[in-house]
Amino acid sequence: MFRTSRIAAGVATAALVVAGVGVGLGSGVAAADATCAVSSHAQKKDASTVGITHVYDKIASAEQIGVGTSVTYKVIVGTTGIGNPYVNTITDFPPVGFGAPTKTTITAYHAIGGQVTEDVTAEPNAGGWKVTSTGWFVNSGNPVTLTITYPVPSGVKAGQMVTSGGVGVAGTVGVSNEMPGLTACFTARGANAGETVIGSLGDNGLGSDDGQLSSTGSLSDIISDVLGDLIGS
């Protein structure tokens, strides 16, 4: 059963993400929120940034998302100035009750090829999921973007507003930031006809609440079983 724990969220926000070692800055279903913003923005300009403004955005993949399907968040770290910080860790905090991500990529500047998107492995980080590098280069024309996808648990109810947790960033002096308020919200809806098959696969272990395949078999086994049932019906 998908539950919101405001006490847990309050305890989680008491500690910040520092150098990629943090705790959950998450919130859950925004049952009492008057609005549901699909994106949020933050910026940092203080003594540590040496006159440069660093900008941060988090965006959900849609305003309405079907229960039992997936939500994808983009976390963008950039700068509006001439500074060129290096980011070495980004931690994303999904809504409370969400499981492991099913796909994670980083888009970052490379000396050869420019902006390149690569698959990366997200690691658990005290309620969130972090990706790390020796350093992703950032300048005014080349932000670094984390794209991370989570299954929407079947316990979420249609009509609920689901708000993610925040974001933590670590890197060179200035760009590091802890942002529990950098969230993204979507409204859950029932899966449409084109999404029903995804839901049925979820019942067999794909996209389950913990984000993992169950012991019922591999994805290819599940698809074979579904096709066999259709042919035999």
Side-chain angles (χ1 to χ4, degrees):
M1 186 69 179
F2 186 86
R3 296 175 296 181
T4 300
S5 173
R6 295 203 179 272
I7 294 176
V11 173
T13 55
L16 299 178
V17 179
V18 179
V21 180
V23 301
L25 305 178
S27 57
V29 175
D33 290 354
T35 60
C36 185
V38 73
S39 65
S40 59
H41 174 80
Q43 63 182 40
K44 182 182 180 185
K45 183 178 183 180
D46 56 24
S48 71
T49 68
V50 195
I52 304 301
T53 300
H54 298 305
V55 292
Y56 314 84
D57 292 273
K58 183 169 183 177
I59 308 165
S61 51
E63 293 182 346
Q64 295 188 355
I65 295 176
V67 174
T69 63
S70 295
V71 57
T72 297
Y73 298 103
K74 285 186 180 294
V75 177
I76 305 168
V77 182
T79 178
T80 62
I82 60 174
N84 53 349
Y86 283 84
V87 173
N88 60 38
T89 304
I90 302 175
T91 302
D92 178 65
F93 293 92
V96 171
F98 278 45
T102 55
K103 183 174 178 61
T104 311
T105 66
I106 283 285
T107 302
Y109 176 81
H110 291 245
I112 299 176
Q115 285 277 323
V116 177
T117 299
E118 300 174 301
D119 289 334
V120 293
T121 299
E123 300 177 350
N125 185 17
W129 296 88
K130 70 177 180 179
V131 294
T132 58
S133 166
T134 54
W136 295 295
F137 173 84
V138 176
N139 66 16
S140 59
N142 293 286
V144 58
T145 302
L146 165 68
T147 303
I148 188 164
T149 299
Y150 304 92
V152 178
S154 59
V156 175
K157 302 300 183 184
Q160 287 182 325
M161 293 184 290
V162 183
T163 302
S164 76
V167 172
V169 176
T172 52
V173 174
V175 75
S176 297
N177 206 351
E178 294 83 34
M179 296 159 287
L182 193 68
T183 63
C185 177
F186 68 89
T187 300
R189 57 166 172 75
N192 61 38
E195 296 168 328
T196 302
V197 173
I198 298 175
S200 66
L201 290 177
D203 294 337
N204 285 284
L206 178 64
S208 58
D209 287 4
D210 63 359
Q212 305 294 324
L213 282 171
S214 72
S215 59
T216 55
S218 67
L219 177 57
S220 60
D221 292 337
I222 294 168
I223 293 174
S224 297
D225 291 342
V226 172
L227 291 176
D229 290 341
L230 292 174
I231 294 172
S233 60

